[in-house]
């Protein structure tokens, strides 16, 4: 972008440092408290005297955090994998196949984006209950397996694949399933990864639905776990609550840091244009 | 002219092709679309219709339909002061979060779009809230708002002000939750804007630099107009997200104090899963649906007429 | 008065790869100066350093008498035409031309005058209210030019401004830009990879390769007296032919005697002590010979008939050589051909360093110098 002179650059740095400090204050205060032992906190100290992992140990031992991390990983992976397959199949049809009612059907897909989750969760809860899937990974994942956003995103990606490539593969005797599996999907690998990361962040952070359909620790995700820890311990053991929050935030933060550039390029391409 | 003719010819031949392949492709297409159609039918359309249907009945606590009630659930909901206040809170919440999230997200992206040393670090910082879940964020903020030990009141004390019960005072609670929400949502908005600014052709910025325009002129005359599609996208997404905010309210205030943060979505949750009144909850859900449809339609209209597409 | 001076400019990227090394140039006022070289030679980087778009690490850039090396682009007081034209897609032609000017303390009347002058000079009068997407490539290019004109800056930098146009339009625009430059008294630094553009447009040209200036001079100086094999091969089309030969007392020969070129006295003197020599002969300096086993013997590989001239590609010492012959000449593929070399126009290069030993055409350039 525009190059500024040295004076402007210095001002910019000062502004950015100021903003960054304010911005990370909530995380900073949380991390500080997570290292303050319970007794010290009750004594009024907000900063650790030394690097003390007592709260982290407690979070791991008492609060069931590891189990819930595994639960979240399983449900999120389930959602992302299924969603990529389901959405890419649909996107393939919308881009590379000619059929009647293509336009109206795509419009219906887009319509699902307008239906708020809150308008469906009562009935969905009853459906999942009727399927005996309460307290199961599938129960948590099932309503999120199809996604209009993912379909739309992949449609934008597939559109950029030259049609000649598809035609050449068809001429070589590939059926649509093979074109999908051996041509379109490998070519779109980068976009699929971007989408997978984005949807993983979303799935990992799901809150309301897992709250409704998971009632025990065997399947409960970390977000619901945090809610439980918060309601049980917030008054007495702030340190443990904070340590749990930090542990829960860490995997997604790492994923974000590793893929920030990819996300900013991929989302600008796929979501807006 | 010639090109146009060729194009038209191509189109017409494509049409012919389309027709002859229609029957064959339709079967394949349905197979490819089947998983999505089944899932959407089961978990979006069926429940949506069921919600509309249920909203027209009085229900028992076991979600059994008791008797047809027409629009009575809607009337009861809309007349109740809890709903009215909740509606007001929702609007305040949306108005407090959306503009600031979008403006800050954009400004941070603008400030960090320059390619200079250390920018990667700032970009990581400003995008970081996208990587922190609503639940974890709420815990961080709950502590920030802590009346005794939270940083906010420490700052208030430092400036000689009285401490404030951010989450316990009905006057402040909705704004406190809104403030935390802005923080939670900025990361995503920031990333979208940063990507969009970076996708603008660099030579445009260079041409502006050579001409020596001020940054404000550049922003007003170049960046904002070129990013108008991004702005519309981001604003719509933010409005819809704000209407649907749930986790932070559940974690920070549970709709309180004194219903001050009992937004539409939280009421739907409470009415269906705590008060066990599915009829009323469904009516409220339909109202939310209508609001979101209207916003989306207005946005589409606007973006069609006003937005510059490259 | 020199308009722009570059002193000891060097640049390397972060990975220490050298992009430019020790560039020294003086560009005169109202001069059309062309930087030409193959892609990756550093010419665009050099131009962007003059514009202030790339940081100057070592050395100095003077515009007029000001050292602008460390100043931001706007303080370089130049205008620039980009390869992509850099037109703002959401602004009309008028707004594009006046971009940034409305922000300065310039009266409305003057803005209007500048706009009118710029659109008149570029024949864009009819298009002022259009958006770039409704213009053809050539029109867009002219809007970029008009913007440079309206800025009223003395120095204009152009980065491959014609490379996105088709051949016919490119030829037309060459003359137009040259005329504009003359009439408005602009100083232009023009970057291109196209040696024809450099030859036809430049008052002087600088040939760059590998981040170093190879040669600076008028187009004819560079064409007639290339200082090394790179310049000799880069300037001129079809390319100059090169042959590695062995020197005898007063001739240059190949081992199999397919080549046997006698030396003039001055050439022989210049070559004293050299045993292997690279000879450069431009295609137009080869003449068909009726004599069998003349100075150059080869086998015809390909013939291109252009009507007014004939391009013969022939194999000589397992080199593809090209001869450009006047008129229409008929050949059979595989036929033996014999050529005579225009000895006065033969270029001699050191085999190891590829540098010029003796300039051809020395007499002509001296004569030119006297006239100029």
């Amino acid at each position: 972008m525009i190059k500024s002179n040295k004076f402007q650059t210095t001002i910019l740095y000062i502004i950015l440092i100021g903003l960054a400090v304010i911005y990370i204050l909530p995380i900073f205060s949380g991390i500080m408290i997570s290292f303050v032992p319970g007794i010290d906190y009750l004594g009024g100290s907000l900063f650790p005297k030394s690097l003390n992992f007592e709260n982290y140990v407690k979070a791991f031992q008492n609060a069931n955090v590891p189990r819930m991390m595994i639960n979240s990983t399983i449900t999120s992976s389930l959602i992302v994998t299924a969603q990529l397959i389901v959405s890419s199949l649909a996107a393939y049809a919308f881009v590379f196949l000619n059929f009647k009612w293509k336009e109206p059907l795509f419009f219906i897909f887009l319509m699902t984006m307008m239906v708020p989750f809150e308008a469906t969760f009562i009935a969905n809860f009853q459906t999942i209950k009727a399927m005996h899937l309460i307290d199961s990974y599938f129960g948590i994942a099932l309503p999120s397996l199809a996604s209009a956003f993912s379909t739309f995103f992949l449609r934008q990606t597939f559109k950029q694949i030259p049609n000649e490539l598809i035609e050449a593969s068809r001429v070589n005797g590939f059926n649509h399933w093979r074109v999908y599996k051996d041509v379109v999907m490998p070519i779109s690998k980068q976009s699929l990864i971007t989408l997978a990361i984005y949807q993983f962040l979303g799935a990992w952070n799901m809150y309301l639905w897992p709250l409704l359909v998971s009632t025990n620790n065997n399947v409960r995700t970390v977000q619901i776990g945090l809610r439980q820890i918060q309601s049980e311990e917030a008054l007495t053991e702030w340190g443990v609550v904070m340590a749990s929050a930090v542990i829960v935030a860490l995997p997604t933060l790492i994923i974000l840091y590793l893929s920030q550039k990819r996300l900013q390029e991929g989302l600008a391409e796929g979501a807006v244009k | 002219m010639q090109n146009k003719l060729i194009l038209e010819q191509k189109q017409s031949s494509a049409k012919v092709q389309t027709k002859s392949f229609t029957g064959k492709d339709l079967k394949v297409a349905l197979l490819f679309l089947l998983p999505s159609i089944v899932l959407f039918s089961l978990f979006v359309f069926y429940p949506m219709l069921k919600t509309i249907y249920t909203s027209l009945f009085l229900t028992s606590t076991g979600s059994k339909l008791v008797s047809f009630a027409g629009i009575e659930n809607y009337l009861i909901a809309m007349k109740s002061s809890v709903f009215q206040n909740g509606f007001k809170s929702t609007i305040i919440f949306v108005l407090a979060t959306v503009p600031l999230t979008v403006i800050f997200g954009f400004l941070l992206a603008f400030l960090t779009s320059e390619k200079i040393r250390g920018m990667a670090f700032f970009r990581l910082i400003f995008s970081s809230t996208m990587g922190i879940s609503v639940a974890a964020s709420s815990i961080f903020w709950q502590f920030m708002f802590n009346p005794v030990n939270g940083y906010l009141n420490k700052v208030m004390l430092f400036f000689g002000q009285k401490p404030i019960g951010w989450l316990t005072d009905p006057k402040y609670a909705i704004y406190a939750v809104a403030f935390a929400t802005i923080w939670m949502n900025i990361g995503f908005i920031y990333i979208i804007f940063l990507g969009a600014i970076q996708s603008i052709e660099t030579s445009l910025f260079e041409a502006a630099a050579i001409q020596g325009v001020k940054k404000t002129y550049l922003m007003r005359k170049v960046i904002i107009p070129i990013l108008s599609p991004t702005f519309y996208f981001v604003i719509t997404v933010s409005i819809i997200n704000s209407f649907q905010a749930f986790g932070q309210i559940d974690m920070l205030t549970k709709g309180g104090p004194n219903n001050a943060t009992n937004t539409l979505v939280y009421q739907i949750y409470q009415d269906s899963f705590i008060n066990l009144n599915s009829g009323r909850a469904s009516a409220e859900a339909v109202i939310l649906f209508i609001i979101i449809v209207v916003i989306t339609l207005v946005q589409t209209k606007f973006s069609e007429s006003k937005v510059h597409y490259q | 008065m020199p308009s722009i001076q570059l002193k000891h400019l060097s640049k390397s990227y972060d990975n220490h790869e050298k992009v430019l090394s020790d560039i020294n140039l003086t560009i005169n006022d109202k001069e059309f100066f062309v930087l030409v070289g193959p892609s990756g030679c550093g010419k665009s980087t050099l131009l962007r350093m003059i514009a202030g778009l790339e940081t100057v690490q070592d050395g100095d850039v003077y515009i007029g008498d000001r050292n602008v090396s460390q100043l931001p682009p706007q303080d370089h007081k130049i205008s620039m035409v980009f390869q992509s034209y850099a037109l703002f897609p959401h602004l009309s032609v008028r707004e594009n031309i006046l971009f940034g000017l409305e922000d300065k303390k310039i009266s409305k009347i003057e803005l209007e005058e500048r706009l009118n002058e710029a659109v008149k000079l570029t024949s864009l009068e009819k298009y002022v209210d259009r958006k770039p997407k409704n213009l053809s490539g050539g029109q867009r290019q002219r809007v970029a030019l008009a913007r440079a004109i309206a800025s009223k800056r003395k120095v204009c930098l152009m980065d491959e401004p014609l490379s996105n146009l088709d051949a016919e339009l490119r030829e037309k625009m060459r003359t137009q830009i040259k005329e504009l430059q003359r009439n408005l008294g602009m100083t232009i630094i023009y970057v291109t990879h196209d040696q024809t553009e450099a030859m036809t447009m430049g008052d002087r040209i600088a040939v760059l390769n590998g981040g170093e200036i190879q040669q600076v001079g008028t187009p004819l100086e560079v064409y007639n007296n290339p200082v090394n094999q790179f310049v000799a091969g880069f300037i001129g089309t079809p390319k100059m032919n090169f042959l590695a030969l062995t020197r005898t007392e007063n001739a240059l020969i190949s081992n199999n005697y397919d080549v046997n070129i006698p030396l003039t006295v001055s050439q022989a003197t210049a070559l004293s002590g050299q045993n292997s020599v690279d000879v450069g002969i431009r295609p137009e300096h080869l003449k068909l010979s009726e004599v069998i086993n003349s100075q150059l013997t080869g086998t015809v590989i390909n013939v291109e008939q252009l009507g007014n001239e004939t391009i013969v590609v022939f194999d000589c010492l397992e080199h593809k050589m090209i001869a450009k012959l006047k008129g229409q000449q008929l050949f059979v593929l595989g036929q033996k051909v014999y050529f005579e070399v225009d000895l006065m126009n033969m270029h001699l290069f050191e085999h190891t360093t590829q540098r010029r030993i003796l300039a051809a055409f020395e007499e002509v350039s001296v004569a030119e110098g006297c006239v100029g």
Side-chain angles (χ1 to χ4, degrees), chain B residues 67-257:
Chain B
S67 62
F68 184 74
I71 57 166
E72 210 179 311
N73 279 324
Y74 292 87
L75 294 178
I76 294 170
M78 285 199 268
K79 271 188 207 145
S80 86
S81 64
V82 175
F83 180 85
Q84 286 170 3
N85 284 335
F87 194 78
K88 216 173 83 190
S89 310
T90 311
I91 299 295
I92 291 174
F93 184 76
V94 171
L95 290 179
T97 51
V98 175
L100 289 176
T101 311
V102 174
I103 290 169
F104 278 122
F106 170 70
L107 283 180
L108 289 177
F110 178 67
L111 289 176
T112 54
S113 58
E114 204 166 341
K115 247 194 191 156
I116 51 176
R117 202 175 291 260
M119 242 2 138
F121 170 75
F122 289 112
R123 289 178 188 167
L124 281 188
I125 295 278
F126 294 133
S127 60
S128 60
T129 58
M130 188 187 171
I132 304 177
S133 67
V134 171
S137 300
S138 298
I139 286 174
F140 292 145
W141 276 97
Q142 193 182 22
F143 188 76
M144 289 291 282
F145 291 134
N146 185 297
V148 184
N149 287 330
Y151 285 14
L152 287 176
N153 274 350
K154 294 274 182 208
V155 172
M156 297 297 283
L157 282 173
F158 180 80
F159 286 106
Q161 305 290 318
K162 272 190 203 152
I164 290 172
W166 298 102
L167 297 174
T168 47
D169 187 332
K171 255 195 309 193
Y172 294 107
I174 189 81
Y175 296 103
V177 178
F179 195 74
T181 305
I182 293 171
W183 185 83
M184 294 171 197
N185 292 347
I186 275 184
F188 175 64
I189 304 294
Y190 167 80
I191 281 191
I192 297 275
F193 272 125
L194 189 61
I197 292 178
Q198 285 176 339
S199 68
I200 300 176
E201 202 194 319
T202 22
S203 66
L204 294 184
F205 292 121
E206 291 176 346
I210 281 169
Q211 196 61 262
V213 300
K214 294 189 195 79
K215 284 212 165 180
T216 44
Y217 180 86
L218 182 74
M219 192 137 102
R220 181 169 51 85
K221 196 86 184 188
V222 180
I223 298 180
I224 292 178
I226 289 183
L227 291 191
S228 50
T230 313
F231 270 97
Y232 277 98
F233 170 79
V234 157
I235 289 169
T236 315
V237 169
S238 301
I239 292 175
I240 293 175
N241 280 346
S242 287
F243 267 102
Q244 293 184 261
F246 178 84
Q248 57 270 54
I249 293 171
D250 189 50
M251 297 276 291
L252 290 173
T253 60
K254 303 234 181 290

Side-chain angles (χ1 to χ4, degrees), chain C residues 135-354:
Chain C
L135 296 175
S136 70
Q139 289 164 341
R140 283 182 209 175
Q141 209 279 331
R142 293 198 322 255
V143 178
L145 277 181
R147 184 161 68 194
I149 295 168
S151 75
K152 294 267 177 193
R153 287 174 173 174
K154 287 253 164 61
V155 178
C156 179
L157 310 181
M158 299 189 172
D159 190 0
E160 307 251 9
L162 303 182
S163 60
N164 288 343
L165 302 179
D166 62 53
E168 199 182 330
L169 204 53
R170 198 154 49 208
E171 224 163 281
K172 211 174 106 191
M173 286 309 296
R174 268 189 223 151
T175 347
Q176 272 196 23
I177 292 178
K178 188 79 197 180
E179 264 173 35
L180 271 177
Q181 181 257 344
R182 235 180 268 130
N183 296 341
L184 297 172
M186 286 158 116
T187 307
I188 288 183
I189 305 181
Y190 187 104
V191 161
T192 181
H193 65 273
D194 178 349
Q195 60 89 27
T196 318
E197 249 171 50
M199 292 291 287
T200 51
M201 296 175 87
D203 293 328
R204 285 193 305 150
I205 65 183
V207 183
L208 269 87
N209 188 35
E212 287 174 33
I213 291 185
Q214 307 291 315
Q215 190 169 6
V216 183
T218 65
L220 283 184
E221 274 166 20
V222 175
Y223 185 85
N224 293 336
N225 287 312
V227 294
N228 58 31
Q229 282 192 35
F230 174 80
V231 176
F234 188 77
I235 300 289
T237 178
K239 276 189 171 202
M240 187 187 277
N241 301 298
F242 295 106
L243 284 172
L245 299 174
T246 316
R247 177 180 168 246
T248 63
E249 186 69 24
N250 45 17
L252 294 169
I253 57 165
S254 64
N255 293 339
N256 63 357
Y257 298 99
D258 270 357
V259 182
N260 186 350
I261 306 169
L263 292 168
T264 63
V265 178
S266 56
Q267 283 167 342
T269 326
L271 286 179
S272 64
Q274 312 250 4
N275 284 327
S276 17
V277 179
D278 283 2
V279 170
I281 306 158
R282 292 207 183 275
E284 65 267 33
H285 296 145
L286 284 172
K287 234 178 12 196
L288 263 190
S289 167
E290 302 294 320
V291 186
I292 289 177
N293 292 335
S294 179
Q295 294 170 358
L296 248 161
T297 307
T299 319
V300 175
I301 305 173
N302 190 28
V303 184
E304 292 169 22
Q305 297 288 359
L306 300 177
N308 59 346
E309 52 192 30
T310 308
I311 311 279
V312 191
V313 184
F314 62 97
D315 180 276
C316 175
L317 308 180
E318 296 183 351
H319 272 292
K320 255 190 202 169
M321 306 238 331
I322 298 175
K324 195 156 121 185
L325 308 170
K326 289 211 177 80
Q328 304 176 356
Q329 316 266 355
L330 297 178
F331 294 96
V332 180
L333 294 191
Q335 154 190 4
K336 284 254 180 238
V337 274
Y338 309 99
F339 291 99
E340 252 173 57
V341 179
D342 180 349
L343 295 179
M344 295 310 290
N345 285 315
M346 188 167 73
H347 303 259
L348 301 175
F349 301 95
E350 270 179 25
H351 181 65
T352 42
T353 61
Q354 306 204 323

Side-chain angles (χ1 to χ4, degrees), chain A residues 139-258:
Chain A
I140 297 173
L142 213 47
S144 310
L145 296 192
S147 156
F149 174 82
S150 295
T151 310
F152 185 70
F153 183 94
L154 289 175
R155 178 175 164 264
Q156 299 298 95
T157 307
F158 290 174
K159 268 181 166 177
Q160 285 161 20
I161 299 175
N163 211 23
E164 286 84 356
L165 213 58
I166 309 303
E167 282 166 1
S169 321
R170 294 283 286 155
V171 169
N172 278 337
F174 277 29
N175 59 22
H176 279 299
W177 168 249
R178 283 205 66 191
V179 177
Y180 162 80
K181 186 168 68 76
D182 296 336
V183 180
V184 172
M185 290 300 266
I187 288 178
S188 312
K189 202 171 128 200
Q190 293 306 322
S191 297
L192 287 166
I193 294 173
T194 307
L195 182 64
I197 292 165
Y198 176 72
Q199 295 295 15
F200 187 88
L201 293 178
W204 182 269
N205 293 343
M206 275 205 313
Y207 186 91
L208 180 51
W209 181 247
L211 175 65
L212 301 180
V213 295
S214 60
T215 59
N216 67 49
N217 280 339
N218 291 335
V219 292
R220 192 170 279 157
T221 63
V222 272
Q223 312 307 333
I224 312 311
L226 272 187
R227 180 186 195 256
Q228 202 188 356
I229 295 168
Q230 180 223 29
S231 64
E232 284 166 6
E233 323 233 355
L235 295 172
T236 52
E237 290 273 20
W238 259 113
V240 179
V241 178
M242 279 305 180
S244 312
V246 171
I247 296 168
V248 171
L250 222 49
T252 38
L253 266 181
I254 291 170
I255 292 175
L256 180 80
Y257 287 166
L258 293 178

Side-chain angles (χ1 to χ4, degrees), chain C residues 3-10 20 23-25 27 45-71 75-76 78 155 157 189:
Chain C
S3 178
I4 290 163
Q5 267 184 296
L6 311 179
K7 293 182 178 166
H8 306 294
L9 272 187
S10 291
L20 289 169
I23 302 287
N24 291 287
L25 271 180
I27 292 144
T45 310
L46 183 58
L47 191 78
R48 291 167 57 81
M49 283 166 88
I50 301 171
L53 295 170
E54 295 269 352
T55 48
V56 173
Q57 293 160 334
D58 293 308
D60 290 299
V61 177
Y62 287 86
I63 296 180
D65 45 13
R66 294 182 312 136
N67 184 342
V68 296
S69 316
Q70 301 305 326
L71 298 180
D75 297 331
H76 287 220
I78 46 103
V155 178
L157 310 181
I189 305 181

Side-chain angles (χ1 to χ4, degrees), chain B residues 26-56:
Chain B
L26 185 63
K27 270 187 210 151
V28 185
L30 284 179
L31 272 176
F32 274 70
L33 290 170
L34 195 67
S36 295
I37 292 175
V38 169
L39 285 162
F40 280 142
S41 308
L42 203 56
F43 292 107
V44 179
F45 295 116
Y46 160 72
M48 185 67 234
L49 292 174
K50 195 174 172 195
T51 300
I52 295 172
Y53 184 69
T54 311
S55 74
L56 302 174

